[in-house]
């Protein structure tokens, strides 16, 4: 078939036509590409407690990651459900799943349906309510968490499908990370030098930075640097960072189980 | 993962490796696993399906109260010899509903490919194992075949109801189970591909219209049609019946249908069964915290 060059270009950009129709060199249209190469266990799996990968497994994961970000067992939690989480969360057990995650249960833990009872036993106070967070992902939730030693954290997270999640806000500043990588979150004053300090420290420890994001509330105000790394960041490095002048708070999310101080 | 059946069939012909080995070897490369490790991981998935089936609890009902206890009703009818479909298909129906109910009642299941369609593959596989006495090894190999098919569907079309309608969940699961069953019957890659394609053709265009947005109605009972359709499709392919539209093109059609389906019937809970007066009433009765 012959296309005019403009149509050909459009079709090519949409991935429907290869630019060189050479059968020896298959060109993969964009819609077939994936960020991450899939494997068989993306199809058969995960093993999870039902009923929904986004509304149940994803909610557990938001709980787990938020607990790790807090860096201590959760003593008190106030959870605000938004959008589809609010409309269908009760039916999907999103509430139980989130509390289970805050207790550190994994997505296939059979105790998830009884998580309220386990929370009572563990002395974890929790309050669940609805909220309108505005123009955010429909499966979003906001969490206010309090832990040991006056630790507290405010998280907004979204369950984006298939059990995957994104942390979209941390302590009032935007963020965008999945919790699938070791992640370093540095709240600092918006002044020159902090990015260099952090990246040279990581370089020194042979830690490769996978992604890096910078956000600030206003020029010269509070800022946050989020770094997803390919290797775990050692505890002493996290401590060193938190003592630097102009650094307000350092939160580290490791991949290992348990709480990361 | 592979993006077309043709690639796998060509590889089967050129290397002499079987369908499941080709899929597994790809995992070994992607995930940096030895062949044994990869096999054991898939075996763990199969064992998890088995224990999910065994832990069905007929006394449970879902949070909305819409789902629970039907698996036991089918079991009773089957044991009494009251099913037109006979004892084997009866077992398949029973297992499909039980798994769907377990999922809705917050029990542990294996998403295959999704939680809503988690009953299709185990209903076919566990019933075949019980009925025909296949070894665990055979079953795990067949599960690799299903995974390979699911991978092709995920890349050519979709395995998410929100993106492609229920053809992408129950339909995909049915195609995966059909291919796995064909493998157990001793079929080659070409026949496996046709079994999957025949299964998918029957479910093209299926709406995703869950009542109140919950994975309950119609999801649980749709697992039955997914499983039974997989078995009939495997039988057709094994008997030499071929899909006149080549398998890869069937899944391309699935993709274009998925795109053409209106948003109302793509997991939004706004159309189809969800939008019936009864569906809407259920939605009102369970929202909020
Ligand atoms: S109706 Fe929708 S939610 Fe239910 S099984 Fe089908 S695709 Fe999944």
């Amino acid at each position: 078939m012959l296309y005019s060059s403009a149509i050909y270009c459009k079709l090519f950009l949409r991935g429907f036509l290869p630019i060189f129709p050479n059968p020896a060199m298959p060109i993969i249209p964009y819609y077939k590409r994936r960020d991450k190469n899939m494997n068989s266990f993306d199809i058969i799996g995960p093993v999870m407690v039902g009923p929904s990968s986004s509304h149940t497994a994803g909610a557990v994961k938001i709980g787990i990651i938020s607990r790790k970000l807090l860096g201590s067992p959760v003593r008190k939690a106030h959870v605000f459900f938004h959008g589809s989480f609010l409309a269908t969360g009760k039916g999907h057990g999103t509430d139980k799943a989130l509390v289970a995650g805050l207790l550190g249960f994994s997505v296939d833990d059979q105790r998830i349906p009884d998580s309220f009872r386990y929370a009572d036993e563990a002395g974890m106070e929790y309050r669940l309510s609805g909220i309108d967070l505005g123009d955010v992902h429909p499966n979003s939730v906001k969490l206010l968490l309090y832990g040991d030693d006056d630790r507290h954290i405010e998280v907004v997270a979204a369950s984006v499908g298939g059990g995957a999640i994104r942390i979209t806000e941390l302590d009032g500043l935007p963020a965008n990370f999945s919790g699938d990588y070791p992640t370093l979150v540095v709240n600092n004053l918006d002044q020159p030098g902090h990015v260099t300090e952090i990246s040279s420290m990581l370089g020194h420890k042979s830690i490769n930075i996978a992604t890096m994001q910078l956000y600030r509330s206003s020029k010269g105000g509070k800022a946050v640097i989020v770094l997803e790394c390919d290797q775990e960041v050692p505890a002493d490095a996290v401590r060193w960072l938190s003592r630097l002048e102009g650094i307000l708070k350092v939160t580290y999310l490791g991949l290992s189980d348990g709480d990361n101080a | 993962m592979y993006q077309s059946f043709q690639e796998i069939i060509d590889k089967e012909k050129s290397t002499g490796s079987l369908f499941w080995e080709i899929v597994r070897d790809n995992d070994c490369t992607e995930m940096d696993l030895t062949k044994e490790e990869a096999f054991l991981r898939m075996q763990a998935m199969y064992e998890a399906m088995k224990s999910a089936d065994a832990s069905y609890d007929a006394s449970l009902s879902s949070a909305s109260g819409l789902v629970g206890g039907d698996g036991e009703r089918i079991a009773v009818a089957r044991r009494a010899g009251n099913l037109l479909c006979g004892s084997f298909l009866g077992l398949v129906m029973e297992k499909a509903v039980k798994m769907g109910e377990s999922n809705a009642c917050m029990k542990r299941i294996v998403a295959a490919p999704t939680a809503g369609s988690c009953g299709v593959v185990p209903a076919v596989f566990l019933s075949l194992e019980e009925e025909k006495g296949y070894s665990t090894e055979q079953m795990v190999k067949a599960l690799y075949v299903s995974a390979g098919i699911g991978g092709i569907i995920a890349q050519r079309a979709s395995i998410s109801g929100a993106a492609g309608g229920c053809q992408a969940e129950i339909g995909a699961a049915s195609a995966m189970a059909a291919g796995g069953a064909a493998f157990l019957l001793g079929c080659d890659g070409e026949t496996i591909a046709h079994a999957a394609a025949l299964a998918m053709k029957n479910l093209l265009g299926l709406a995703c219209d869950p009542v109140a947005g919950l994975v309950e109605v119609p999801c649980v009972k749709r697992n039955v049609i997914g499983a039974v359709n997989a078995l009939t499709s495997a039988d057709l392919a094994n008997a030499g019946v071929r899909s006149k539209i080549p398998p890869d093109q069937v899944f391309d059609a699935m993709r274009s249908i998925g795109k053409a389906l209106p948003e109302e019937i793509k997991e939004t809970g706004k159309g189809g069964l969800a939008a019936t007066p009864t569906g809407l009433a259920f939605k009102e009765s369970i929202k909020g915290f």
Side-chain angles (χ1 to χ4, degrees), chain A residues 16-233:
Chain A
F16 290 122
L17 287 177
I19 195 158
F20 306 115
N22 169 6
M25 194 179 79
I27 293 179
I28 306 163
Y30 87 95
Y31 66 84
K32 291 179 184 169
R33 292 192 189 132
R34 288 285 180 279
D35 303 352
K36 153 181 131 30
N37 287 332
M38 294 181 72
N39 63 62
S40 293
F41 303 96
D42 294 320
I43 307 291
I44 306 287
V47 181
M48 55 169 270
V49 165
S52 159
S53 52
S54 55
H55 286 66
T56 320
V60 176
K61 196 156 168 211
I62 288 174
I64 296 172
I65 301 290
S66 303
R67 171 189 165 105
K68 283 191 182 176
L69 287 169
L70 178 69
S72 101
V74 182
R75 298 296 167 212
K76 213 167 97 190
H78 197 164
V79 184
F80 302 88
F81 294 97
H82 164 91
S84 169
F85 264 7
L86 179 60
T88 69
K90 204 168 178 182
H92 279 124
T94 308
D95 46 355
K96 294 171 180 169
L98 215 128
V99 168
L102 292 175
L103 288 166
F105 296 178
S106 60
V107 294
D108 66 343
D109 194 310
Q110 312 240 41
R111 294 172 298 176
I112 291 171
D114 304 315
S115 67
F116 292 169
R117 183 164 59 79
Y118 286 98
D120 293 342
E121 283 173 15
M124 181 180 107
E125 255 179 74
Y126 60 91
R127 233 168 91 198
L128 311 167
S129 29
I131 195 172
D132 183 357
L133 292 170
D135 187 19
V136 296
H137 190 284
N139 295 333
S140 287
V141 59
K142 177 174 176 167
L143 301 116
L144 303 179
L145 304 180
Y146 302 86
D148 294 338
D149 311 324
D150 285 337
R151 280 169 191 271
H152 63 93
I153 196 166
E154 189 188 314
V155 181
V156 178
S159 176
V160 294
I165 68 150
R166 306 298 295 176
I167 302 293
T168 55
E169 209 183 293
L170 202 57
D171 289 326
L173 286 172
N176 182 10
F177 61 94
S178 64
D180 291 332
Y181 291 91
T183 307
L184 198 57
V185 184
V186 184
N187 295 54
N188 55 291
L189 295 176
D190 182 29
Q191 54 198 24
H194 292 313
V195 172
T196 324
E197 280 167 358
I198 299 168
S199 58
S200 61
M201 182 277 283
L202 292 175
H204 192 69
K205 300 267 176 195
S206 305
I207 294 165
N208 191 42
I209 300 173
T211 73
M212 176 156 151
Q213 303 149 33
L214 301 167
Y215 304 96
R216 65 179 178 191
S217 55
S218 62
K219 196 171 173 188
K222 282 185 187 174
V224 59
I225 305 171
V226 179
L227 297 122
E228 292 184 297
C229 307
D230 286 329
Q231 291 84 22
E232 295 274 0
V233 182

Side-chain angles (χ1 to χ4, degrees), chain B residues 112-136:
Chain B
T114 61
S117 58
C118 70
V120 175
V121 171
V124 168
F125 277 48
L126 299 174
S127 307
L128 278 174
E129 188 190 0
E130 278 180 36
E131 176 81 5
K132 305 270 186 203
Y134 294 116
S135 67
T136 303

Side-chain angles (χ1 to χ4, degrees), chain B residues 52-77:
Chain B
D53 176 60
S55 70
Y56 173 71
D57 182 347
S59 71
L60 295 179
S61 72
S62 65
S64 71
L66 290 173
V67 159
D70 282 344
E72 187 55 28
R73 286 185 187 94
I74 305 170
V76 169

Side-chain angles (χ1 to χ4, degrees), chain B residues 116 161 165-166 169-170 207-210 218-219 222:
Chain B
C166 199
E169 297 204 4
I170 296 291
C208 170
D209 49 359
C219 317
R222 273 191 192 160

Side-chain angles (χ1 to χ4, degrees), chain B residues 210-227:
Chain B
V211 168
L214 302 179
V215 193
E216 300 192 3
V217 177
C219 317
V220 171
K221 282 161 245 160
R222 273 191 192 160
N223 280 277
V224 173
I225 195 59

